[in-house]
């Protein structure tokens, strides 16, 4: 089985590297095309990607076709491949804001489409990825998509109506976490710590806190309370965050992402 990628940006590159690292996908089964030839050549040299001369060539040769271009580029790409994609192939889209019906209206009747939403943590094999089936996709297609994306993290099967919320929490919020880490590190620098040390402390604390929450049967607030001694230093900081609107800012940011995703669709 051959897996073809149209678009070889950061996300596609992370997925392909994960597939290669897993050992479950032979080198000559990974095909790809990108408008910037340098990206294709770099992946060819690194993981043995088979370069294709065009998006159409990828679509003609692949059993599983992964559309990994930005949403705004789809109207330029899809007309060039629509007549060569058949119901014997599986189309996987990782583009935000485009429902499965968008592709089903373009391709021939019966072409199975699976929508997938990974996040950039795929670079380190820790993506949280959602998958959902279109009208013509069956369980075998979902299983195939899950196998592919399990190479870069954990996969969840969802209803498509849940995708916008999933993308905001599992995808966009990664940027919020990076912003939080930088804010913690900057505060450490202000308090006299070296930048590199402050960043390491912030990262280790975020990782540890996330693992503690994941592995505990307690509510996150209960875990927070365990850190906050009565009249102590931590509760002082927590109340300051609340007073400055920390929770509201996060919730509004998530909602803004969801609304933008709807606008793209």
């Amino acid at each position: 089985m051959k897996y073809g990628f149209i678009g070889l940006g950061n996300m596609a590159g992370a997925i392909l590297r994960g597939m290669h690292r897993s050992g479950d996908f032979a080198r000559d089964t990974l095909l790809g095309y990108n408008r910037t030839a340098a990206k294709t050549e770099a992946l060819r040299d690194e993981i043995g990607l088979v370069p294709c001369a065009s998006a159409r060539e990828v679509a003609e040769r692949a059993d599983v076709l992964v559309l990994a271009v930005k949403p705004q580029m789809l109207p330029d790409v899809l007309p060039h491949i629509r007549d060569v994609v058949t119901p014997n192939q599986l189309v996987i889209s990782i583009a935000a804001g485009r429902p499965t019906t968008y592709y089903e209206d373009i391709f021939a009747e019966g072409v199975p489409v699976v929508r997938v939403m990974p996040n950039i943590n795929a670079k380190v094999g820790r993506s949280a990825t959602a998958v959902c089936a279109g009208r013509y996709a069956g369980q075998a297609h979902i299983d195939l998509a899950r196998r592919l994306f399990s190479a870069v993290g954990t996969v969840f099967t969802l209803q498509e109506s849940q995708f916008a919320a999933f993308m905001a929490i599992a995808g966009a919020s990664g940027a919020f976490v990076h912003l939080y880490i930088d804010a913690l590190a900057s505060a450490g620098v202000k308090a006299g710590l070296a930048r590199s040390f402050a960043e390491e402390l912030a990262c280790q604390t975020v990782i540890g806190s996330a693992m503690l929450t994941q592995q505990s049967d307690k509510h996150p607030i209960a875990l927070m309370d365990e850190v906050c001694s009565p009249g102590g230093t931590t509760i002082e900081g927590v109340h300051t965050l609340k007073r400055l609107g920390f929770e509201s800012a996060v919730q509004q940011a998530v909602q803004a992402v969801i609304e933008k995703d709807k606008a793209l669709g």
Side-chain angles (χ1 to χ4, degrees):
M1 183 168 289
K2 295 188 182 297
Y3 303 83
F5 284 70
I6 298 176
L8 298 172
N10 287 333
M11 184 60 73
I15 296 164
L16 282 161
R17 291 183 183 95
M19 294 172 72
H20 174 68
R21 283 194 306 268
S22 74
D24 294 333
F25 304 88
R27 290 165 66 95
D28 62 353
T29 64
L30 304 180
L31 318 176
Y33 165 76
N34 194 78
R35 290 187 305 174
T36 304
K39 291 184 177 180
T40 309
E41 293 163 2
L43 285 166
R44 176 198 62 195
D45 296 341
E46 182 182 348
I47 67 169
L49 178 79
V50 178
C52 292
S54 66
R56 187 178 180 88
E57 182 185 348
V58 178
E60 289 173 334
R61 297 176 62 182
D63 300 296
V64 178
L65 179 63
V66 182
L67 302 175
V69 298
K70 291 180 172 59
Q72 58 269 31
M73 293 176 61
L74 288 169
D76 295 327
V77 172
L78 297 183
H80 295 290
I81 65 172
R82 62 188 301 174
D83 62 324
V84 296
V85 175
T86 75
N88 293 324
Q89 296 168 289
L90 168 61
V91 174
I92 294 176
S93 171
I94 64 172
R98 294 291 193 270
T100 54
T101 53
Y102 173 82
Y103 306 97
E104 291 165 350
D105 289 343
I106 291 173
F107 295 125
E109 185 175 358
V111 171
V113 177
V114 172
R115 186 178 174 191
V116 178
M117 184 58 62
N119 67 32
I120 199 60
N121 294 338
K123 284 187 171 184
V124 292
R126 296 303 298 268
S127 175
T129 301
V131 301
C132 74
R135 177 181 177 186
Y136 304 113
Q139 188 59 49
H141 299 111
I142 286 290
D143 291 344
L144 185 53
R146 289 183 63 92
R147 176 174 177 266
L148 194 163
F149 286 89
S150 290
V152 292
T154 304
V155 183
F156 304 89
T157 301
L158 299 181
Q159 298 296 317
E160 191 162 18
S161 61
Q162 299 173 306
F163 255 55
F166 178 91
M167 188 270 293
I169 300 298
S173 72
F176 307 165
V177 175
H178 291 305
L179 186 64
Y180 176 61
I181 288 171
D182 180 68
L184 285 177
S186 294
V189 172
K190 183 178 180 181
L193 300 178
R195 164 67 69 172
S196 59
F197 181 55
E199 286 183 357
E200 183 177 359
L201 287 179
C203 287
Q204 287 297 328
T205 302
V206 168
I207 292 169
S209 297
M211 291 182 66
L212 178 61
T213 302
Q214 190 176 50
Q215 296 175 17
S216 174
D217 58 358
K218 296 182 179 180
H219 191 280
I221 295 300
L223 294 174
M224 182 194 75
D225 286 341
E226 291 181 357
V227 188
C228 295
S229 302
T233 56
T234 303
I235 192 62
E236 194 71 25
V238 168
H239 273 268
T240 299
L241 285 173
K242 286 178 175 289
R243 176 169 51 81
L244 295 175
F246 178 77
E247 293 164 309
S248 177
V250 170
Q251 291 161 7
Q252 289 183 59
V254 168
Q255 188 60 39
V257 172
I258 292 173
E259 294 304 321
K260 181 64 174 181
D261 183 75
K262 291 179 180 177
L264 286 174

